[in-house]
Amino acid sequence: MKANAALDKLLATIGGWSPIGTRLRWPYYGAPPEHAETLRAIARERLPEFTRT
């Protein structure tokens, strides 16, 4: 990931705040969706107040 938007979209996906996904427009790379799923499980365990779902 090489953009602040990538981190914003990843955090929104992890937290369940928005269904926007993690993709970015070229030439930037977003986080793979499977990483978001893994990080969501970790966030639920360690920061339950961070996630909506």
Side-chain angles (χ1 to χ4, degrees):
M1 293 186 283
K2 295 186 181 242
N4 290 335
L7 179 58
D8 291 342
K9 292 183 90 172
L10 177 63
L11 291 173
T13 301
I14 291 169
W17 304 326
S18 176
I20 59 173
T22 59
R23 286 188 62 188
L24 294 174
R25 293 183 182 201
W26 184 88
Y28 301 106
Y29 297 99
E34 34 310 332
H35 288 183
E37 293 300 320
T38 301
L39 292 170
R40 180 180 291 139
I42 294 169
R44 281 186 181 147
E45 178 186 327
R46 297 182 184 178
L47 300 167
E49 66 278 2
F50 181 77
T51 59
R52 282 192 172 182
T53 57

